[in-house]
Amino acid sequence: MGKRYGRNTMEALARLRRSREVADRIPPALRALDLALIGVTSPLIVLLGLCLAAAVFLDSPGPVLYRSQRVGRGGRIFEMFKFRTMLRDAAGPPLSVSGDERFTPLGRRLALSRLDELPQVWNVIKGDMRLVGPRPEVEEFVAEYSNEYERILSVPPGLTGLAQLEYAWEGDVLARAQSIDRARVYRESILPYKLEIDLAYVNDHGVLSDVGVLLKTGLLPIHQILRRLAGAPPASVAILPRAVPAIGLVGLLLALIVLYAVEAAAPL
């Protein structure tokens, strides 16, 4: 983690690490819930993960996983995993957009469906994140909004969250901005609204609402497929047969999550 930052960024991150408001641990009950959900769905996660890893490996030269440094529990930096979606050694702005030329053929589809984030299940197992919570952000943006993040980081970051669902199409917005302006557009026009959503989550969240976020996240790939088909030429309907297995896997995942939630809520 050898990045160098300006003095203001370093001071802001240091202040977050010293803050008593910033959570340094995941509550045991929530940690147990996350691990139980992962355990119940582990056959599906492992099967899907191995298939996607093999597909990334065969799609283009380069590593299967991409590591991104984010600010997490206790204001500390950790490495968040994703499946690689871009060409090896691709240069350019740090934010990707819809139709980004740096995407590999498979990477564009993985980013669109959010399946590139499946390896973050390992971050959850390690205790870096929860399944649901405010999405961890890069250091520069956290430092710029350090007051807001001092409150947001009072709960552990998550693999998925309300802000991620609300702004699932942010790549389309950023695609309309010039490459040099994408960070500014994100910082000024998208991030403040995501922070409001994260702050609302911090003030009002629970197990049932987290299960609802997981259900919506599971439906996101299907929503993305239908959304693209709605604006695509008729010939694109040919991809439906290839989408059926993915829809079946997502359906199975949702069924397992609902079953676990029902059993957990049932009286002993």
Side-chain angles (χ1 to χ4, degrees), residues 119-135:
Q120 288 159 38
V121 171
W122 179 242
N123 285 117
V124 177
I125 294 173
K126 288 175 57 185
D128 296 327
M129 305 163 59
R130 287 201 60 225
L131 286 176
V132 179
R135 285 291 289 172

Side-chain angles (χ1 to χ4, degrees), residues 84-262:
R84 179 176 56 85
T85 59
M86 294 190 175
L87 298 170
R88 183 171 58 185
D89 301 324
L95 297 169
S96 62
V97 300
S98 298
D100 200 308
E101 295 180 352
R102 297 171 294 172
F103 279 136
T104 65
L106 175 65
R108 180 175 291 105
R109 293 172 174 80
L110 288 179
L112 179 66
S113 65
R114 302 289 183 175
L115 288 173
D116 61 323
E117 296 175 352
L118 185 63
Q120 288 159 38
V121 171
W122 179 242
N123 285 117
V124 177
I125 294 173
K126 288 175 57 185
D128 296 327
M129 305 163 59
R130 287 201 60 225
L131 286 176
V132 179
R135 285 291 289 172
E137 191 55 88
V138 298
E139 298 96 316
E140 292 91 337
F141 295 144
V142 172
E144 185 166 351
Y145 291 93
S146 60
N147 290 334
E148 290 83 354
Y149 271 103
E150 186 172 10
R151 178 62 180 151
I152 290 170
L153 289 172
S154 66
V155 301
L159 186 156
T160 186
L162 292 173
Q164 187 184 24
L165 292 174
E166 183 70 22
Y167 282 89
W169 331 115
E170 68 181 42
D172 295 337
V173 176
L174 293 173
R176 293 192 286 270
Q178 296 294 325
S179 296
I180 195 171
D181 292 332
R182 285 172 187 164
R184 180 177 59 82
V185 170
Y186 179 78
R187 181 187 295 110
E188 297 177 1
S189 302
I190 296 178
L191 185 55
Y193 295 102
K194 294 174 75 171
L195 294 178
E196 289 183 8
I197 296 172
D198 285 338
L199 287 169
Y201 173 85
V202 169
N203 293 328
D204 183 20
H205 67 279
V207 173
L208 290 180
S209 62
D210 284 358
V211 171
V213 172
L214 288 173
L215 292 174
K216 292 177 181 179
T217 301
L219 291 172
L220 186 60
I222 301 174
H223 190 185
Q224 290 279 25
I225 291 172
L226 296 178
R227 181 172 176 267
R228 291 294 172 177
L229 288 178
S236 67
V237 177
I239 72 169
L240 280 176
R242 289 179 287 171
V244 170
I247 294 174
L249 288 173
V250 172
L252 177 60
L253 173 61
L254 296 178
L256 290 172
I257 292 175
V258 171
L259 177 61
Y260 177 83
V262 171

Side-chain angles (χ1 to χ4, degrees), residues 53-74:
V56 172
F57 177 79
L58 295 173
D59 182 55
S60 64
V64 171
L65 294 179
Y66 170 75
R67 301 164 186 257
S68 176
Q69 293 185 3
R70 302 297 175 102
V71 179
R73 293 189 300 110

